Amino acid sequence: MPPSMDRDLDQEPLASVYARRGISVDALAVAEHGTLRRDSASLVAPTLQDPASTPPLTDPPWATAPALELGPVIGRGGMGVVRLGVQPSLKRQVAIKEVRPEAATPLAVSRLLREAWVSGNLEHPNIVPVHALIGGDASPRLIMKHIEGVVWSDRLAEGGALPAHELRPDLEAHLQVLIRVCHAVRFAHSKGILHLDLKPDNVMLGEFSEVYLLDWGAAATHLDDAPPWMHHVSKITTVSGTPAYLAPEMAAARGDLIGPATDVYLLGAILHEILTGAPPHAHAGPALMDRLMAAYASPPKEFGDHIPAELAAICSRAMARSPALRYPTADAFRVALEEFVHHRSSTRLCDQALLRLARLRLALSGDSARTLSPVDEARYVSECRFGLQQALEIWADNPDAREGLRELLELDVQRALETRDPRRAAAALRELPAPRPDLTARLDALETDLADEATKLRALEALGRDVDLSVYRRHRIALALGLSGIWLVWNLATAALSEAGLLTFDHLTLILTTIAPLSVYALTAAWFRTTLLVTAINRRVLALLGGGFLSIIVFSLAASAMRVPPMHIFALHPVFYLFFLIALAFSVDMRALWCALPVCAGLIPAARDPQLAFLCNGISGSVAALFMAAIWWRDDRRERRPVASAADSR
């Protein structure tokens, strides 16, 4: 029947188990450190160390042992005593264990011999080396390495009781000790030997970080081909071990269920003491039976929130009531502890990052969000992300770090959406393994809004460029200067030719001289089309100028048809120039009204004496164009001066 379905462990009360097996709790013998011995002659049930199996003391193999100098007693138990000694041949201090003279029964000697034989077969860095077994006055003497250090239980008790809801500050140091104990247990298991009394009292810590597992007196084997002097678990029919740590099958004296998983339970019980400050069954009650019943029941342990969940799970699994549910080997338990220690650095980084995340959330809540600068916010996010990513790099399955990183990335997306930063939001969304649909939808909506705004902005920029007087201003200045010179030369040349009689200024000549400026204008516009026709302002200026020339031609044709004298018609041309300048002022640049002054000034004498029209029109038109060029040139100089000053300052 599988252990988890065993009738004794799952259903039958412990008192019934003891009654059926003939075990008397009152008759259980207690040795040093509260350990129950299974080799006492007072046991009702047959014992593993029964007198019939005790080797004779006559003519022992250690009769010719080397000399040994005995020193003071350094330890004393229920049956044994440990002295400090010296081996003269090797000039070294040793620890000497022997049975006390008043307790030197065959059973006690047998127990010491078996401990010596078991320890002698376990040569491991974390097991106390046995140097020799020699004769003594009342019993053999077990010569072992002398360890200078402290018992682990004393180190655990330093500083008093463990405060409630607090982890011991030296947790990792004690876990490292337990890991090294696991190494010793694993080695013993590889030899088929079970310790069966694992507890901090049986572990010594040396002054140079040595860790030694002691007291193999309760050891037994689970191998069928083991030497005859080694106890076999199948013969265990009474309770043995330390009640505060016992596994359920030990409390039930079920030797057939005792195996490597039993030592795993005891290792878990030590971990329980490290975490809570007490063995698992220590507070079950004052009576021995109370602790035995607690060990037999072994309900799932409850740990406070201050205990890391991963470590609590390791302890709970190691101390599962059913051996089949525990770690299969001591090495598997050790690996779990080492993984936790490795994960511990990940957990620390995660905790620090989550603390920063909490501060960031607080800083972004309420009115404080207005005082948190973008630089500080970016620093918080960067620090949190780095810490969580480092935690995941150390331990890829760290659940808190994964959840924290998800929360941070979602917060980053939300903040990016609030600040209308789609690239930041998209980058954070790409890092999320499963982005929330609402965040994706909000990002799509933001990108659509920004695209619409960008289109509108480009349209506004194009519109602003179209009405920006500074765009291709120099080309307009050049056009104004060119027209000024051409206009003056044209009119003065026409006046000179007319005065010299070389040109008869009739209606046909009037029409031709009117068409000529329009032709020059058209050629100029075509030549500068890549600049002057680019912006709305320039197109508007050219359109007004072209419209003015066309209006003059139409007026001249109409006036010629009415037989108005050509010079009178030509003298009235400045009226159209005035309309052109007024339209230019109200549609392009109000300062064009200044250019109307010379036109008005030239119109008056030409109206009084049409013969002066060529001279007046030429001068007034040229001056008006020069005025416009001067106004635009002044704007250009004013805008270029700050740029030049900034360059000089650099």
Side-chain angles (χ1 to χ4, degrees), residues 263-314:
D263 273 349
V264 171
Y265 185 99
L266 298 176
L267 292 170
I270 296 175
L271 177 58
H272 184 280
E273 184 172 2
I274 293 173
L275 296 178
T276 65
H281 319 312
H283 302 302
L288 173 59
M289 189 62 182
D290 294 332
R291 282 171 285 173
L292 294 176
M293 291 177 63
Y296 178 69
S298 286
K301 301 301 179 184
E302 295 183 1
F303 297 93
D305 294 338
H306 64 291
I307 303 294
E310 183 183 4
L311 201 53
I314 293 172

Side-chain angles (χ1 to χ4, degrees), residues 471-539:
V471 178
Y472 295 120
R473 180 166 48 205
R474 294 186 182 182
H475 293 81
R476 290 198 306 275
I477 294 173
L479 177 63
L481 292 175
L483 290 177
S484 173
I486 293 173
W487 186 255
L488 180 61
V489 171
W490 179 268
N491 281 276
L492 292 182
T494 303
L497 292 174
S498 179
E499 287 291 333
L502 299 176
L503 177 67
T504 301
F505 196 76
D506 52 14
H507 286 95
L508 179 59
T509 305
L510 172 66
I511 298 302
L512 292 175
T513 56
T514 305
I515 293 175
L518 180 62
S519 301
V520 173
Y521 155 79
L523 291 173
T524 304
W527 182 264
F528 292 102
R529 65 183 180 277
T530 57
T531 55
L532 294 178
L533 296 179
V534 171
T535 65
I537 285 291
N538 290 343
R539 290 193 298 271

Side-chain angles (χ1 to χ4, degrees), residues 79-100:
M79 292 188 304
V81 63
V82 180
R83 297 177 179 275
L84 190 64
V86 175
Q87 277 185 307
S89 60
L90 293 177
K91 307 298 184 184
R92 66 178 176 184
Q93 277 192 334
V94 292
I96 305 165
K97 184 174 183 179
E98 61 183 335
V99 179
R100 291 189 302 163

Side-chain angles (χ1 to χ4, degrees), residues 18 58 98 112 123 128 155 203 225 298 316 328 346 365 377 396 402 407 444 447 492 588 622:
Y18 285 172
T58 59
E98 61 183 335
L112 179 63
E123 296 184 7
V128 178
R155 182 67 55 81
V203 177
D225 58 349
S298 286
S316 296
S346 172
S365 64
E377 181 179 342
R402 283 190 177 279
E407 292 180 6
D444 293 340
E447 290 177 338
L492 292 182
V588 177
S622 177

Side-chain angles (χ1 to χ4, degrees), residues 624-637:
L626 287 174
F627 268 27
M628 202 71 249
I631 290 171
W632 289 336
W633 177 79
R634 184 168 175 269
D635 290 344
D636 190 64
R637 286 291 303 274

